[in-house]
Amino acid sequence: MITLFWCPQTRASRILWLLEEMQEPFEVRLIDIRDPDSKSDADFVAASPMGKVPAIMDTTPNGVVRMADSASIALYLADRYPASGLAPKIDDPARGQYLYWMTYTPGVIEPAMMEKFTGQEVSRASSGWGNFDAMVEVLEAGLKAGPWLMGEQFSAADVLVGSSVYFMKMFGILPDSPVLSEYGDRCLARPAYARALARDAELET
């Protein structure tokens, strides 16, 4: 059984979406990361040493897996439960492109979003994520063949990147881009995402 450590208005919502896509049994455990008492949950502390969500605990026949961070969780779950079809196999040539997009959210999109929020100017040449404009350009180019990052195949990478596009729209920093806007709409139209957003709202109340 998979346990998702969840807190409202956090990145944990994207793993809720991923779990809905997988259609594997899971439970949600509320962790208020803004409350110091959250450290009293030993399972959560073991899964997330930094006290951040999302984090998961997965009880398997070989033992209990505990881990945190959206990208690492998504990589683990998509590989651990291959029946979901959310990841290319290890020997699939598409695996390289998949891994690139799996790390695009934490490595490129989120730093670029922080750049936008703070109004800082960064060097496109020396910054690890380029800059906000470069992030958008590369993402648009990656989606032009579409409808998903891996072409016709929806993958765990779309959960990470698609949720980031949704967050940018929520925060009012999504650029005027038909490619990104239409991609975001395709993500929102997925039944699993609709279920995840509804459950997010239900859990928050």
Side-chain angles (χ1 to χ4, degrees), residues 108-163:
V108 181
I109 297 179
E110 291 185 350
M113 288 175 65
M114 186 57 65
E115 168 201 332
K116 195 74 169 176
F117 290 141
T118 60
Q120 67 180 120
E121 294 185 9
V122 299
S123 167
R124 183 168 181 161
S126 60
S127 168
W129 65 90
N131 60 18
F132 188 87
D133 291 340
M135 177 273 288
V136 171
E137 290 168 14
V138 171
L139 183 51
E140 286 179 324
L143 286 166
K144 279 185 178 174
W148 308 110
L149 290 166
M150 301 299 295
E152 294 295 326
Q153 182 62 46
F154 179 88
S155 73
D158 291 298
V159 172
L160 297 179
V161 174
S163 61

Side-chain angles (χ1 to χ4, degrees), residues 5-15 31 33-34 52-54 70 167 200:
F5 298 100
W6 177 93
C7 182
Q9 300 178 14
T10 65
R11 294 173 180 85
S13 62
R14 61 173 46 131
I15 301 303
I31 295 289
I33 59 173
R34 303 166 185 97
K52 302 288 187 179
V53 293
S70 298
F167 292 158
D200 248 339

Side-chain angles (χ1 to χ4, degrees), residues 31-34 38-39 44-45 47-53 68:
I31 295 289
D32 185 353
I33 59 173
R34 303 166 185 97
S38 65
K39 294 181 179 179
F44 174 63
V45 172
S48 181
M50 292 188 67
K52 302 288 187 179
V53 293

